[in-house]
Amino acid sequence: MSKFKDKELVLSLADSIKQKAKKFDRLRIMHVCGTHENSISRYALRDLLPDNIKLLAGPGCPVCVTSSKDIDAIINYGIKNDCTILTFGDMLRVKGSNYSLFSASKLGLGVKMVYGLDEAIYYAKQTKKDAIFFSVGFETTAAPIASIIKSINLPENLSFFSVHKYTPNGVLELLKAGKLNIDALILPGHASIVSGLAPYEKAASDFNLSCVAAGFEPADILSAILMIINQFENNICKVENEYERLLSYEGNKLAQNALNEVFDITDSIWRGLGIIKNSGFEFKTTYNHLNAKLKFNIPFSDSYIEEQKGCRCAEVVLGSIEPPQCPMYDKICNPHNPVGPCMVSDEGTCRNWWEVKGET
Ligand code: SF4
């Protein structure tokens, strides 16, 4: 068993947090990673924290922040044209304005679930149809995709509809817009392995936030909370790294170079949050031939609905409410019948809360 799961270590960290937290009125700590939410929920880490430490889930689930506008556009194009849309399993079940990719398959949309780009390439080689990879994920996913794209010859019938997002700029812009009511950030372990920690310096300096990158085991997350509390005790706000065993301050230069070579950072729509400046990855003009939006001139509608009626995912991903505060949670909405995207993926906050507390 990993020492980071060791019960005594975990309980002793929780006890230190409880002791030190007595000095503070309230501390709102947000993480921005679906895998963090999965660990926090699975190991019931919130139950180990004192009441004045609030651990909030931020916009860290990639399918949850994928806009209805993008889902609608690929569905509308795919239904009218002889092509196959390839994407990850979670993405298939997230609704656009009316349909998910999966439900649209019953209307004639050609859809295939893939586990990664390698499988999409394999599929494209087996068919003469156009194959469009609906490419979703943060820098963690965008970097290996960029690396494959620049390294091999892809089948001519394969193209990409990029809805990739760049976490640091997304978080910074939400902070600038005053949409995150928080005192500290737990930085995403996986995504920061690619980006490094420098892009978060502004969050610490301009918004007086303690920022600590953390791994995914229970002791990692509690250690990061303790490091944040230590910063508060000493009245400092800086970027620190709890996940030194895998994450360097500089990040992965090879991955960053691949991203810079293939993608531009562009404005991007985050579901329920609107257009966020410089928060997405779009293909550079040298890769226009791979960009399905341009190659097929895919139209985007202005009349789209970002949230299903009554769904409060936008507030969930901003940490403004907890899932049970949504009236549909566990009544109408559950993983078997997800109303909003946060109930679909095992990185979604509503799904994680339901799996642990809501199943009845
Ligand atoms: Fe949306 Fe369902 Fe979560 Fe409510 S419980 S916010 S409907 S995903």
Side-chain angles (χ1 to χ4, degrees):
M1 186 183 70
S2 154
K3 67 176 179 174
F4 296 95
K5 284 192 176 88
D6 180 76
K7 188 175 169 187
E8 279 184 24
L9 174 61
V10 167
L11 291 177
S12 116
L13 286 165
D15 191 52
S16 300
I17 290 171
K18 270 184 199 145
Q19 295 309 321
K20 288 183 175 245
K22 286 178 185 163
K23 297 176 195 157
F24 305 104
D25 288 342
R26 186 198 73 160
L27 217 46
R28 288 170 63 85
I29 303 173
M30 173 172 274
H31 71 75
V32 285
C33 174
T35 312
H36 275 147
E37 184 53 42
N38 189 285
S39 292
I40 289 164
S41 297
R42 186 150 40 105
Y43 295 108
L45 298 186
R46 286 187 179 90
D47 293 348
L48 297 178
L49 299 176
D51 290 344
N52 60 338
I53 305 273
K54 273 277 173 207
L55 197 46
L56 310 167
C61 156
V63 306
C64 303
V65 296
T66 299
S67 167
S68 292
K69 188 167 183 147
D70 290 315
I71 298 170
D72 289 354
I74 196 70
I75 289 176
N76 290 337
Y77 177 79
I79 280 182
K80 292 179 196 145
N81 294 276
D82 189 24
C83 62
T84 305
I85 313 301
L86 311 164
T87 196
F88 304 118
D90 288 348
M91 197 60 244
L92 290 178
R93 298 181 67 219
V94 176
K95 273 188 193 156
S97 297
N98 295 305
Y99 301 104
S100 64
L101 287 160
F102 178 70
S103 61
S105 69
K106 292 171 187 147
L107 305 174
L109 179 71
V111 174
K112 182 165 172 54
M113 185 189 96
V114 292
Y115 286 99
L117 179 54
D118 51 345
E119 202 182 341
I121 293 168
Y122 177 81
Y123 174 82
K125 284 181 176 169
Q126 312 301 310
T127 179
K128 290 198 164 47
K129 278 189 195 181
D130 285 313
I132 303 176
F133 186 57
F134 193 70
S135 203
V136 59
F138 294 110
E139 49 276 26
T140 339
T141 317
I145 287 175
S147 179
I148 293 172
I149 285 174
K150 75 185 196 67
S151 315
I152 63 168
N153 288 325
L154 296 168
E156 281 188 9
N157 60 337
L158 180 65
S159 56
F160 297 76
F161 190 115
S162 171
V163 290
H164 288 295
K165 308 280 188 264
Y166 183 50
T167 316
N169 289 0
V171 171
L172 276 172
E173 290 299 323
L174 289 172
L175 285 167
K176 277 188 206 166
K179 291 187 174 172
L180 301 180
N181 174 19
I182 55 174
D183 304 302
L185 270 172
I186 294 178
L187 304 179
H190 292 148
S192 302
I193 286 174
V194 173
S195 67
L197 298 179
Y200 293 100
E201 290 290 356
K202 268 185 165 305
S205 61
D206 295 5
F207 299 95
N208 294 326
L209 292 180
S210 301
C211 300
V212 178
F216 299 93
E217 302 292 359
D220 283 315
I221 294 165
L222 294 177
S223 296
I225 293 171
L226 201 51
M227 289 164 79
I228 285 168
I229 291 175
N230 286 336
Q231 288 195 30
F232 267 78
E233 260 187 339
N234 294 302
N235 220 7
I236 48 177
C237 294
K238 64 177 183 179
V239 174
E240 284 189 286
N241 185 6
E242 182 280 332
Y243 201 29
E244 281 180 333
R245 64 188 187 279
L246 283 181
L247 163 60
S248 71
Y249 182 86
E250 295 73 25
N252 184 324
K253 292 287 175 202
L254 278 176
Q256 290 164 17
N257 290 343
L259 281 171
N260 291 336
E261 198 172 310
V262 174
F263 293 113
D264 283 323
I265 300 261
T266 55
D267 298 351
S268 182
I269 307 183
W270 293 48
R271 191 180 186 120
L273 309 181
I275 294 175
I276 302 185
K277 223 170 127 191
N278 296 327
S279 67
F281 292 106
E282 189 52 275
F283 282 95
K284 283 190 180 294
T285 50
T286 40
Y287 288 94
N288 275 355
H289 59 290
L290 295 180
N291 186 343
K293 295 171 198 169
L294 300 178
K295 185 174 173 183
F296 303 116
N297 197 17
I298 295 180
F300 289 82
S301 164
D302 281 336
S303 57
Y304 68 102
I305 300 162
E306 275 295 51
E307 298 291 353
Q308 304 314 123
K309 199 168 175 215
C311 171
R312 297 180 66 183
C313 276
E315 292 162 272
V316 170
V317 300
L318 290 174
S320 309
I321 65 163
E322 292 179 338
Q325 290 174 264
C326 170
M328 291 204 264
Y329 175 82
D330 199 33
K331 295 188 178 71
I332 300 163
C333 182
N334 60 53
H336 311 296
N337 177 40
V339 176
C342 298
M343 192 57 95
V344 172
S345 162
D346 63 7
E347 295 193 50
T349 304
C350 297
R351 164 100 183 236
N352 275 301
W353 281 58
W354 188 92
E355 296 281 0
V356 174
K357 295 182 178 174
E359 195 161 8
T360 49

Short mmCIF file of all heavy atoms in Angstrom, two decimals, residues 307 310-313 316 321 323 326-330 333-334 338-343 350, ligand 1:
data_model
loop_
_atom_site.label_atom_id
_atom_site.label_comp_id
_atom_site.label_asym_id
_atom_site.label_seq_id
_atom_site.Cartn_x
_atom_site.Cartn_y
_atom_site.Cartn_z
N GLU A 307 -27.33 25.24 -20.06
CA GLU A 307 -27.70 24.36 -18.95
C GLU A 307 -29.04 23.71 -19.23
O GLU A 307 -29.93 24.34 -19.77
CB GLU A 307 -27.83 25.17 -17.64
CG GLU A 307 -26.56 25.87 -17.19
CD GLU A 307 -25.49 24.92 -16.72
OE1 GLU A 307 -25.74 23.70 -16.62
OE2 GLU A 307 -24.37 25.39 -16.47
N GLY A 310 -33.13 23.81 -14.91
CA GLY A 310 -33.02 23.48 -13.48
C GLY A 310 -31.65 23.00 -13.05
O GLY A 310 -31.36 22.93 -11.86
N CYS A 311 -30.79 22.64 -14.00
CA CYS A 311 -29.45 22.14 -13.65
C CYS A 311 -28.59 23.30 -13.15
O CYS A 311 -28.59 24.37 -13.73
CB CYS A 311 -28.80 21.49 -14.87
SG CYS A 311 -27.06 21.09 -14.61
N ARG A 312 -27.85 23.05 -12.06
CA ARG A 312 -27.06 24.14 -11.47
C ARG A 312 -25.56 23.85 -11.55
O ARG A 312 -24.79 24.23 -10.68
CB ARG A 312 -27.54 24.38 -10.05
CG ARG A 312 -29.00 24.85 -10.05
CD ARG A 312 -29.55 25.11 -8.68
NE ARG A 312 -28.90 26.23 -8.02
CZ ARG A 312 -29.16 26.61 -6.77
NH1 ARG A 312 -30.08 25.98 -6.07
NH2 ARG A 312 -28.51 27.63 -6.22
N CYS A 313 -25.18 23.14 -12.64
CA CYS A 313 -23.76 22.75 -12.79
C CYS A 313 -22.83 23.97 -12.77
O CYS A 313 -21.72 23.88 -12.24
CB CYS A 313 -23.55 21.99 -14.09
SG CYS A 313 -23.92 20.24 -13.96
N VAL A 316 -22.11 24.72 -9.39
CA VAL A 316 -21.30 23.65 -8.78
C VAL A 316 -19.84 23.82 -9.16
O VAL A 316 -18.95 23.74 -8.30
CB VAL A 316 -21.83 22.25 -9.22
CG1 VAL A 316 -20.87 21.14 -8.80
CG2 VAL A 316 -23.21 21.99 -8.62
N ILE A 321 -22.26 26.38 -4.91
CA ILE A 321 -23.17 25.48 -4.19
C ILE A 321 -22.55 24.08 -4.16
O ILE A 321 -21.67 23.77 -4.97
CB ILE A 321 -24.58 25.40 -4.82
CG1 ILE A 321 -24.53 24.78 -6.23
CG2 ILE A 321 -25.28 26.74 -4.84
CD1 ILE A 321 -25.89 24.32 -6.73
N PRO A 323 -23.44 19.92 -4.53
CA PRO A 323 -24.43 19.19 -5.34
C PRO A 323 -25.79 19.00 -4.67
O PRO A 323 -26.83 19.20 -5.34
CB PRO A 323 -23.72 17.86 -5.64
CG PRO A 323 -22.28 18.25 -5.69
CD PRO A 323 -22.09 19.29 -4.62
N CYS A 326 -28.67 21.37 -5.35
CA CYS A 326 -29.44 21.36 -6.60
C CYS A 326 -30.71 20.54 -6.36
O CYS A 326 -30.64 19.40 -5.92
CB CYS A 326 -28.62 20.73 -7.74
SG CYS A 326 -29.61 20.45 -9.21
N PRO A 327 -31.89 21.11 -6.66
CA PRO A 327 -33.14 20.39 -6.38
C PRO A 327 -33.27 19.06 -7.13
O PRO A 327 -34.04 18.20 -6.73
CB PRO A 327 -34.22 21.37 -6.85
CG PRO A 327 -33.55 22.69 -6.99
CD PRO A 327 -32.10 22.45 -7.21
N MET A 328 -32.49 18.89 -8.20
CA MET A 328 -32.64 17.65 -8.98
C MET A 328 -31.70 16.54 -8.51
O MET A 328 -31.86 15.38 -8.90
CB MET A 328 -32.39 17.95 -10.45
CG MET A 328 -33.48 18.80 -11.04
SD MET A 328 -33.58 18.61 -12.80
CE MET A 328 -32.61 19.98 -13.31
N TYR A 329 -30.74 16.90 -7.65
CA TYR A 329 -29.74 15.93 -7.21
C TYR A 329 -30.39 14.73 -6.54
O TYR A 329 -31.16 14.87 -5.57
CB TYR A 329 -28.79 16.64 -6.23
CG TYR A 329 -27.76 15.75 -5.58
CD1 TYR A 329 -26.59 15.40 -6.24
CD2 TYR A 329 -27.95 15.25 -4.29
CE1 TYR A 329 -25.63 14.59 -5.64
CE2 TYR A 329 -27.00 14.44 -3.68
CZ TYR A 329 -25.85 14.12 -4.36
OH TYR A 329 -24.91 13.32 -3.76
N ASP A 330 -30.11 13.56 -7.07
CA ASP A 330 -30.60 12.28 -6.53
C ASP A 330 -32.12 12.14 -6.58
O ASP A 330 -32.65 11.15 -6.09
CB ASP A 330 -30.10 12.09 -5.09
CG ASP A 330 -30.18 10.61 -4.68
OD1 ASP A 330 -29.99 9.75 -5.56
OD2 ASP A 330 -30.44 10.33 -3.50
N CYS A 333 -31.89 13.55 -11.11
CA CYS A 333 -30.55 13.44 -11.70
C CYS A 333 -29.68 12.46 -10.91
O CYS A 333 -29.48 12.62 -9.71
CB CYS A 333 -29.91 14.84 -11.69
SG CYS A 333 -28.28 14.89 -12.44
N ASN A 334 -29.19 11.45 -11.61
CA ASN A 334 -28.24 10.50 -11.03
C ASN A 334 -27.38 9.96 -12.18
O ASN A 334 -27.67 10.25 -13.34
CB ASN A 334 -28.97 9.39 -10.26
CG ASN A 334 -29.91 8.61 -11.16
OD1 ASN A 334 -29.50 8.11 -12.21
ND2 ASN A 334 -31.18 8.54 -10.77
N PRO A 338 -28.23 11.21 -16.08
CA PRO A 338 -27.59 12.49 -15.77
C PRO A 338 -28.29 13.64 -16.48
O PRO A 338 -28.46 13.61 -17.69
CB PRO A 338 -26.16 12.31 -16.31
CG PRO A 338 -26.26 11.25 -17.35
CD PRO A 338 -27.43 10.38 -17.01
N VAL A 339 -28.70 14.64 -15.72
CA VAL A 339 -29.34 15.81 -16.34
C VAL A 339 -28.26 16.77 -16.82
O VAL A 339 -28.29 17.25 -17.94
CB VAL A 339 -30.28 16.51 -15.34
CG1 VAL A 339 -30.86 17.78 -15.95
CG2 VAL A 339 -31.40 15.57 -14.92
N GLY A 340 -27.29 17.02 -15.97
CA GLY A 340 -26.21 17.94 -16.34
C GLY A 340 -24.88 17.21 -16.43
O GLY A 340 -24.76 16.07 -15.99
N PRO A 341 -23.86 17.87 -16.98
CA PRO A 341 -22.58 17.21 -17.20
C PRO A 341 -21.86 16.79 -15.92
O PRO A 341 -21.10 15.84 -15.93
CB PRO A 341 -21.77 18.26 -17.97
CG PRO A 341 -22.40 19.56 -17.65
CD PRO A 341 -23.86 19.27 -17.45
N CYS A 342 -22.13 17.50 -14.80
CA CYS A 342 -21.41 17.18 -13.57
C CYS A 342 -21.81 15.82 -13.00
O CYS A 342 -21.18 15.32 -12.07
CB CYS A 342 -21.65 18.25 -12.51
SG CYS A 342 -21.06 19.86 -12.99
N MET A 343 -22.90 15.23 -13.53
CA MET A 343 -23.32 13.91 -13.04
C MET A 343 -22.85 12.81 -13.98
O MET A 343 -23.07 11.63 -13.72
CB MET A 343 -24.85 13.89 -12.91
CG MET A 343 -25.43 12.73 -12.17
SD MET A 343 -24.82 12.52 -10.48
CE MET A 343 -26.07 13.38 -9.51
N CYS A 350 -20.93 16.33 -9.03
CA CYS A 350 -22.21 15.73 -8.63
C CYS A 350 -22.11 14.21 -8.63
O CYS A 350 -22.60 13.54 -7.72
CB CYS A 350 -23.33 16.19 -9.57
SG CYS A 350 -23.59 17.97 -9.50
FE1 SF4 B 1 -26.83 19.47 -12.78
FE2 SF4 B 1 -27.63 17.07 -11.86
FE3 SF4 B 1 -25.65 18.33 -10.67
FE4 SF4 B 1 -28.11 19.26 -10.47
S1 SF4 B 1 -27.37 17.31 -9.66
S2 SF4 B 1 -26.26 20.46 -10.84
S3 SF4 B 1 -28.94 18.73 -12.48
S4 SF4 B 1 -25.64 17.57 -12.77
#
